[in-house]
């Protein structure tokens, strides 16, 4: 099969390969070693298949690529539900982030999961299919289907393989996200009734052209319907209360995928649907959303600073980091939104690695309490080195991935309103304070707790799981252009929706503007 033929089915292949693997795994004999190797092979095969996407992606193209668009479920006279998949420069890297993190999650769970091993890896592969499906769906019904489909395997992973309060955390996670999703379902049904289509591109064109009856009075409710679902998933302050419980109680792989991918579904939804469909309404609501984002940045950082539990500290740091992402999205500047997308990827790499590192030491000592450690750099020098690299990445040290995302977001925020940038910049300082303080308490000094004196350092499997994340943190910090080349045109198109809707609301119907893709003058990388 040549590349052109593969382009037509690659998204289906990448999306459903993990689910096919989960189905085969269901018939495997209960030999744990074979189950682990098979799950790893499927996840690596999915990663390799997904690499076809950036390799053949056209960076200057502002539209969707690798599309598959066929009828699926007819509904009377309308278009019905379509099997419509496609990606742009935003969803491209979120798909790669997902396929990148899953095999590493399999590796890090190799020894920590000893009971119901088959069920664990089946749930992990099903979760991968659902997460990828969210990022590639261009039919709103299909998007909602995959969105809800992520809840079941994640809730089961927390409830079946988590720690002491796992049932409470799983139910809380499920109820928060399920109830919030109902508001989005209502908005989707309204759009179908008034446009006759679930297709994202069709609905977007109809809204941009002012062709939807009743939209003037319904827009604010539709915007809120989508916003509530996505804000809970981010989670945006004050809707974040489910997150620390879910993270602390989840198994290591669950925390990695929850922080690395599932939270990005919320910020991706804000960008794709709230800005993509209701850009002018998003602009009107931007001041209070930005206020919540900035409160989340500072609140998350301050609460993280006083956490005695390593995993809970990392969880609250996510509230702070994702506040930056929301701030960048609603800055409506090219730099801010580019930074938001880049920060989604950074957070997936850095926080995913932090949860893996926390899981490694938990396997040895069965505690996340920071006071139980101290002087770990002596018995575990390699572990301390990996932890330092990822800590520097998380606090946004120059030449590390976190720096690029936060710098672009702060630049865009200053462009939107200087006070946004000034307040958000304080979060960078707090972030450095709580992460470096945690590092000092865990690794510096002499070993005072005898239980830590003879802890074994990272083994080969753990190093293989962490090394790709450390390399990614460095490469993304040194050469962000490799990602921004494709992100920039998609962001330019998202921002252009607002200009178009402003023209429509002013009584002038105009076609979507042809915005130049390289607004940030990102140099184009060629050579393949």
């Amino acid at each position: 099969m040549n590349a052109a033929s593969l382009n037509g089915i690659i998204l289906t292949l990448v999306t459903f390969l993990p689910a096919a693997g989960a189905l085969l795994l269901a018939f495997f004999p209960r030999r744990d070693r074979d189950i682990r190797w098979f799950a790893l092979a499927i996840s690596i095969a999915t990663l390799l298949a997904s690499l076809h996407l950036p390799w053949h992606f056209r960076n200057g193209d502002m539209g969707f690529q690798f599309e598959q668009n066929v009828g699926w479920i007819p509904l009377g006279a309308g278009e019905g539900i379509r099997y419509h998949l496609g990606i742009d420069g935003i969803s491209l890297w979120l798909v790669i982030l997902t396929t990148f993190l899953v095999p590493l999650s399999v590796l890090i769970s190799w020894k920590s999961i000893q009971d119901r091993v088959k069920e664990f890896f089946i749930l992990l592969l099903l979760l991968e299919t659902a997460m990828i499906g969210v990022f590639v769906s261009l039919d709103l019904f299909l998007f909602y289907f995959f969105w809800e489909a992520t809840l079941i395997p994640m809730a089961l992973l927390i409830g079946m393989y988590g720690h002491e309060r796992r049932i409470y955390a799983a139910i809380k996670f499920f109820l928060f996200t399920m109830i919030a999703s109902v508001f989005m379902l209502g908005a989707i049904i309204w759009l179908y009734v008034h446009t006759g289509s679930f297709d994202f591109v069709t609905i977007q064109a109809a809204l941009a052209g002012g062709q939807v009856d009743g939209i003037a009075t319904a827009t604010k409710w539709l915007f809120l319907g989508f916003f509530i679902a996505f804000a809970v998933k981010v989670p945006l302050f004050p809707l974040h209360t489910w997150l620390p419980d879910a993270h602390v109680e989840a198994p290591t792989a669950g925390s990695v995928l929850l922080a690395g991918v599932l939270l990005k579904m919320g910020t991706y939804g804000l960008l794709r649907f709230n800005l993509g469909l209701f850009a002018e309404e998003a602009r009107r609501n931007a001041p209070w959303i930005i206020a919540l984002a900035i409160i989340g940045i500072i609140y998350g950082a301050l609460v993280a600073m006083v956490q005695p539990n390593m995993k809970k500290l990392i969880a609250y740091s996510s509230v702070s980091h994702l506040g930056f992402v929301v701030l960048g999205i609603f800055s409506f500047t090219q730099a801010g939104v580019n930074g938001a997308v880049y920060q989604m990827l950074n957070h997936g790499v850095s926080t995913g690695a932090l949860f893996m590192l926390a899981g490694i030491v938990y396997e040895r000592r069965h505690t996340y309490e920071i006071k139980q450690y101290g002087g770990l750099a002596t018995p575990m020098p390699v572990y301390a080195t990996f932890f330092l690299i990822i800590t520097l990445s998380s606090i946004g040290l120059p030449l590390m991935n976190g720096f690029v995302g936060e710098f672009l977001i702060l630049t865009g925020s200053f462009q939107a309103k200087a006070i946004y940038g000034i307040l958000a910049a304080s979060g960078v300082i707090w972030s450095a304070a709580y992460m470096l303080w945690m590092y000092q308490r865990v690794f510096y000094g002499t070993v005072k707790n005898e239980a830590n004196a003879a802890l074994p350092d990272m083994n080969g499997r753990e190093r293989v799981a962490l090394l790709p994340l450390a390399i990614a943190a460095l490469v993304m910090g040194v050469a962000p252009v490799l990602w921004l080349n494709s992100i920039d045109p998609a962001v330019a198109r998202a921002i252009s929706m607002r200009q178009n809707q402003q023209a429509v609301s002013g009584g002038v119907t105009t076609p979507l503007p042809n915005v130049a893709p390289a607004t940030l003058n990102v140099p184009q990388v060629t050579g393949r």
Side-chain angles (χ1 to χ4, degrees):
M1 181 180 291
N2 57 36
S5 303
L6 190 56
N7 286 348
I9 62 166
I10 185 64
L11 290 182
T12 293
L13 178 65
V14 172
T15 302
F16 291 103
L17 185 56
L23 182 63
L24 291 174
L25 206 50
F27 297 99
F28 252 59
R30 288 191 174 274
R31 289 196 293 269
D32 293 349
R33 183 175 178 275
D34 294 344
I35 290 168
R36 293 187 179 98
W37 277 109
F38 184 77
L40 180 63
I42 289 294
S43 60
I44 290 175
T46 307
L47 170 62
L48 294 176
S50 70
L51 294 179
H52 177 90
L53 299 172
W55 191 254
H56 293 277
F57 192 84
R58 300 184 300 276
N59 285 339
D61 193 332
M62 297 170 69
F64 293 104
Q65 301 180 36
F66 307 103
E67 282 190 77
Q68 277 186 273
N69 189 0
V70 296
W72 181 24
I73 304 175
L75 293 174
E79 277 190 356
I81 300 168
R82 302 189 67 78
Y83 180 75
H84 190 183
L85 308 182
I87 56 170
D88 62 2
I90 299 169
S91 44
L92 164 68
W93 294 112
L94 291 170
V95 171
I96 300 299
L97 177 67
T98 306
T99 60
F100 178 61
L101 286 179
V102 171
L104 303 181
S105 300
V106 172
L107 274 176
I108 210 67
S109 308
W110 206 264
K111 292 293 185 185
S112 61
I113 302 298
Q114 294 295 330
D115 296 326
R116 294 173 293 190
V117 174
K118 178 190 283 192
E119 290 83 351
F120 178 84
F121 287 108
I122 287 175
L123 291 171
L124 209 60
L125 293 174
L126 290 176
L127 179 62
E128 183 175 17
T129 284
M131 292 187 298
I132 296 172
V134 165
F135 297 130
V136 302
S137 294
L138 292 179
D139 181 280
L140 268 60
F141 178 89
L142 197 59
F143 172 84
Y144 186 78
F145 169 80
F146 282 120
W147 178 276
E148 294 294 78
T150 61
L151 295 184
I152 298 170
M154 178 52 77
L156 290 175
L157 283 172
I158 298 172
M160 292 171 62
Y161 300 92
H163 305 301
E164 290 79 8
R165 297 171 68 242
R166 57 185 180 277
I167 301 299
Y168 166 77
I171 292 174
K172 191 173 181 181
F173 160 76
F174 190 87
L175 288 180
F176 263 70
T177 46
M178 183 73 179
I179 292 171
S181 301
V182 172
F183 294 95
M184 176 169 64
L185 178 62
I188 290 173
I189 292 173
W190 191 98
L191 287 171
Y192 174 74
V193 170
H194 288 78
T195 64
S197 176
F198 283 110
D199 187 78
F200 174 81
V201 178
T202 303
I203 293 172
Q204 188 181 47
L207 291 172
Q211 302 162 359
V212 181
D213 294 336
I215 191 65
T217 54
T219 297
K220 62 181 178 183
W221 302 112
L222 297 174
F223 176 86
L224 280 176
F226 281 102
F227 179 81
I228 291 171
F230 300 141
V232 169
K233 186 71 88 178
V234 170
L236 183 66
F237 176 90
L239 305 171
H240 64 282
T241 58
W242 63 269
L243 183 69
D245 291 315
H247 269 315
V248 171
E249 301 304 324
T252 299
S255 293
V256 171
L257 294 179
L258 182 61
V261 184
L262 259 75
L263 305 188
K264 311 307 176 303
M265 287 165 44
T267 48
Y268 170 77
L270 291 174
L271 186 51
R272 175 71 73 216
F273 295 96
N274 284 98
L275 259 66
L277 297 180
F278 314 105
E280 184 58 16
E281 187 65 22
R283 184 197 62 78
R284 279 194 282 268
N285 286 278
W288 66 266
I289 295 173
I290 286 176
L292 291 180
I294 292 174
I295 292 172
I297 291 170
I298 298 172
Y299 167 83
L302 292 177
V303 176
M305 186 167 290
V306 298
Q307 290 306 313
N309 183 298
M310 189 186 300
K311 218 175 178 187
K312 195 171 272 190
L313 184 153
I314 301 168
Y316 275 106
S317 78
S318 292
V319 176
S320 183
H321 286 304
L322 288 163
F324 275 103
V325 176
V326 175
L327 171 63
I329 291 173
F330 285 89
S331 72
F332 287 97
T333 60
Q334 185 79 27
V337 184
N338 271 347
V341 177
Y342 206 68
Q343 191 67 359
M344 290 185 213
L345 307 177
N346 293 335
H347 184 262
V349 170
S350 302
T351 307
L354 283 173
F355 278 120
M356 283 191 188
L357 288 161
I360 287 172
V361 79
Y362 181 84
E363 282 187 33
R364 289 156 170 75
R365 289 280 283 106
H366 302 290
T367 178
Y368 291 114
E369 295 299 310
I370 295 173
K371 67 181 180 183
Q372 294 293 326
Y373 300 103
L376 275 192
T378 300
M380 303 178 70
V382 176
Y383 178 74
T385 304
F386 270 106
F387 212 117
L388 179 61
I389 292 171
I390 299 302
T391 296
L392 297 178
S393 157
S394 181
I395 67 176
L397 190 78
L399 297 181
M400 302 296 286
N401 57 339
F403 174 78
V404 179
E406 289 181 353
F407 178 79
L408 288 173
I409 290 171
L410 291 176
T411 300
S413 304
F414 270 105
Q415 290 172 346
K417 192 173 280 190
I419 190 64
Y420 296 159
I422 293 169
L423 292 172
S426 68
V428 178
I429 300 169
W430 292 117
S431 168
Y434 66 72
M435 287 302 298
L436 292 176
W437 190 32
M438 178 182 72
Y439 191 84
Q440 181 261 324
R441 286 180 288 168
V442 172
F443 292 98
Y444 280 17
T446 56
V447 179
K448 295 178 181 176
N449 189 335
E450 286 302 316
N452 300 326
L455 286 181
D457 206 346
M458 290 171 66
N459 58 38
R461 173 182 55 81
E462 292 164 342
R463 296 182 194 195
V464 170
L466 263 299
L467 188 61
L469 292 166
I471 292 173
L474 290 168
V475 174
M476 291 179 73
V478 174
V481 70
L482 297 175
W483 288 265
L484 290 174
N485 266 344
S486 49
I487 292 171
D488 193 54
V491 167
R493 177 177 171 79
I495 293 177
S496 73
M497 292 297 139
R498 179 195 154 198
Q499 299 164 1
N500 193 65
Q501 290 190 12
Q502 278 181 317
V504 171
S505 63
V508 180
T509 301
T510 59
L512 296 179
N514 184 21
V515 179
T519 313
L520 272 181
N521 295 320
V522 175
Q524 300 293 305
V525 175
T526 59
R528 66 171 188 256

